[in-house]
Amino acid sequence: MTPDGENPRIAKKTTLKDVARVAGVSSATVSMILNGREGVSFAEETVKGVMAAAAKLNYGRERRAKPLIEGGPVILIVVPNVTNPYYATIIQAVQQAAAEKNYATCISTTYRSLESELAAVQLAQSTGMAGIIFTMLAHPDEVLSRVGGKMPVVVMGDRRVDLSVDTVELNNYDAGSLIARHMCELGHKHMAYISTTLDSCNSIRMQRLKGLQTTISQLCPEGTLLVKSRTITPKVELDNLLIEHSVGHELARGCFVDKKITAFIAVNDMVAYGVMDAVLEAGFSIPGDYSVCGFDNLLPSQFGKVALTSVEHYIQDKGHNALELLHARISGQISSRNITRVEISHKLIVRASTGLPRTRAI
C-alpha cells in the first residue's frame, strides 16, 4: 500500500481534476473546453494546454472510446451507401489514415435519410466516439445543429462557405464546366445530363449541372443540354443495390428518340456505366454514335472494356485529408475559433468513351 492508502497495483482512473491540475486551470475550464460548451471562449494557449494534458493522461481515450473498443478512440464514418465504389474507396482511405493515428473506425449508412443522419450523430454521441466524418451530408442544417459543437466533425462535399465545420471540398461547378468544355471542343452541340435525384439536398449534382449549363451556353450558344433525372427515395436506395446503374440505363434509353443528341454526361461513373450499357444494348457504338462521360474516375473506369472519360478528384487523398483534419481538431491542433476548408483539385481523364460527334444518321 502507498502512504495515502492506495493499492499501487490498481490503476487509478484519470479524472477531470487530474487534467485540470496538469493543465494549471480549473476543473470547470477543462469541462467546458472538452465538451465544447457554446457561448464560452478561451485563449488558444489554454485550449491547447487542456488538450495536451488530456492526451498525456489518456483522459480523452478513457472518456470517449473505452466503452466501445479498447486501445484507441473511435471515429464514425457516415456514408450514403457502400455499393458505389466511390464511398468504398473513401472508407478505406479514411481507415488507412486512421490506422496511422491509432483510431478505430465504425461505419454508418444513411441512404440520404435525415432520420438516419440524425441517428448517426446520436450513435456517436451516446457511445463516446471521438468524432464524425460525413462523406456526404444531405441535410447539413438539421444535422449540424444537432451536433452543436459538442464533438469534432468533418464534412466532405461541395465547395460552400456557409457550413461552420471543417470541410474537405470539391468545386463541382468547375468540374461540370471542365466536361462541358471538353464536349464542346469535340464538336458536340446537343447533349443529355443523366442524374439521380436533383434537389437542394444534392448540391453536388446541382453544381455539376450548373457548370455544364453555363459553359455550354458560353461556348456553344446554339447548343442544348437535355436534363433527365429520377428521384430516388432513401428506401428505394436501400432496397436496390444497382439503383445508380438502373437509373443511367433507364434514362439513357428514353433519350434515343431525340436524334440530335450525340453525347451523354452522367452525374457519376456508376450512372455512366448504366448509360453505356443502354447505348450498346440498343445497337449503338461508343463513341461512334454516342460519347459518354462521368465523374469520380472510379477504378473500373480505367479498365479497357470500359475506358470511361471521367473527372478525377483524388478520392484517396480526400479520405486521408478528412481524417487528418479530424485528428487535428480532436487533438487541439486547430483553434476552436477557426474553421479549416480543404479544397481538392480535379482534372479530366480522357479515355475512349468520348470522341467526335457522329455524322451518320441513326
Side-chain angles (χ1 to χ4, degrees), residues 104 153 159:
V153 171
R159 182 185 188 187

Side-chain angles (χ1 to χ4, degrees), residues 37 49 54 62 92 95 125 169 185 197 200 209 227 234 242 248 255 282 285 297 317 331 334 347 354 358:
R37 182 171 175 178
E62 290 178 359
Q92 187 161 345
Q95 291 177 330
Q125 293 178 336
E169 309 168 335
E185 288 176 348
T197 309
S200 59
L209 173 58
V227 179
L242 300 176
C255 294
S285 64
N297 194 33
D317 288 348
S331 59
I334 302 176
K347 65 180 181 180
T354 53
R358 66 176 179 270

Side-chain angles (χ1 to χ4, degrees), residues 24 32 38 72 90 139 286 314 332 343:
M32 286 186 283
E38 298 181 24
I90 282 186
H139 306 85
I286 301 172
Y314 307 99
E343 183 169 328

Side-chain angles (χ1 to χ4, degrees), residues 256-302:
F256 294 149
V257 295
D258 187 341
K259 303 303 181 182
K260 297 191 305 296
I261 293 174
T262 59
F264 289 102
I265 301 167
V267 69
N268 61 34
D269 285 7
M270 288 296 290
V271 173
Y273 302 154
V275 171
M276 296 175 82
D277 281 348
V279 170
L280 297 175
E281 288 172 11
F284 301 119
S285 64
I286 301 172
D289 293 318
Y290 291 100
S291 287
V292 182
C293 189
F295 291 83
D296 294 341
N297 194 33
L298 301 179
L299 178 61
S301 299
Q302 305 172 33

Side-chain angles (χ1 to χ4, degrees), residues 30-310:
V30 172
S31 177
M32 286 186 283
I33 290 175
L34 294 182
N35 290 299
R37 182 171 175 178
E38 298 181 24
V40 180
S41 62
F42 296 93
E44 186 171 350
E45 294 75 15
T46 302
V47 175
K48 287 185 176 180
V50 168
M51 290 297 185
K56 179 180 179 181
L57 299 175
N58 286 328
Y59 179 73
R61 292 189 178 189
E62 290 178 359
R63 190 168 60 98
R64 287 191 293 264
K66 192 172 181 179
L68 280 175
I69 300 175
E70 295 287 348
V74 181
I75 301 298
L76 183 63
I77 308 171
V78 184
V79 297
N81 63 66
V82 291
T83 56
N84 188 327
Y86 170 80
Y87 293 111
T89 303
I90 282 186
I91 289 171
Q92 187 161 345
V94 171
Q95 291 177 330
Q96 288 171 346
E100 295 182 0
K101 301 293 185 183
N102 296 318
Y103 289 104
T105 59
C106 287
I107 300 167
S108 175
T109 52
T110 66
Y111 305 100
R112 297 175 174 82
S113 159
L114 172 59
E115 292 73 16
S116 295
E117 290 181 343
L118 292 175
V121 172
Q122 176 62 28
L123 172 66
Q125 293 178 336
S126 64
T127 55
M129 294 188 188
I132 307 175
I133 294 176
F134 286 98
T135 64
M136 185 274 175
L137 187 54
H139 306 85
D141 295 335
E142 298 92 332
V143 173
L144 295 179
S145 65
R146 184 68 61 89
V147 175
K150 296 178 182 178
M151 68 188 314
V153 171
V154 171
V155 173
M156 306 173 72
D158 188 49
R159 182 185 188 187
R160 51 188 299 177
V161 297
D162 58 330
L163 297 183
S164 57
V165 295
D166 300 321
T167 57
V168 177
E169 309 168 335
L170 172 69
N171 189 328
N172 283 282
Y173 179 93
D174 283 356
S177 179
L178 190 63
I179 287 183
R181 184 174 298 277
H182 172 63
M183 291 300 196
C184 290
E185 288 176 348
L186 286 172
H188 293 280
K189 295 182 178 180
H190 304 288
M191 297 161 264
Y193 179 65
I194 307 297
S195 178
T196 41
T197 309
L198 287 175
D199 60 19
S200 59
C201 291
N202 293 276
S203 63
I204 289 174
R205 302 169 187 169
M206 294 298 296
Q207 286 301 311
R208 289 176 182 176
L209 173 58
K210 289 180 180 178
L212 286 165
Q213 291 172 323
T214 301
T215 304
I216 291 172
S217 66
Q218 292 173 345
L219 300 181
C220 183
E222 71 277 21
T224 60
L225 180 66
L226 175 65
V227 179
K228 302 284 285 185
S229 67
R230 179 181 164 195
T231 298
I232 305 300
T233 66
K235 185 178 187 308
V236 169
E237 186 170 358
L238 171 63
D239 292 343
N240 191 337
L241 294 176
L242 300 176
I243 188 61
E244 291 180 301
H245 180 279
S246 298
V247 167
H249 189 277
E250 172 193 334
L251 297 182
R253 285 179 60 87
C255 294
F256 294 149
V257 295
D258 187 341
K259 303 303 181 182
K260 297 191 305 296
I261 293 174
T262 59
F264 289 102
I265 301 167
V267 69
N268 61 34
D269 285 7
M270 288 296 290
V271 173
Y273 302 154
V275 171
M276 296 175 82
D277 281 348
V279 170
L280 297 175
E281 288 172 11
F284 301 119
S285 64
I286 301 172
D289 293 318
Y290 291 100
S291 287
V292 182
C293 189
F295 291 83
D296 294 341
N297 194 33
L298 301 179
L299 178 61
S301 299
Q302 305 172 33
F303 297 163
K305 293 292 186 180
V306 181
L308 176 67
T309 294
S310 186

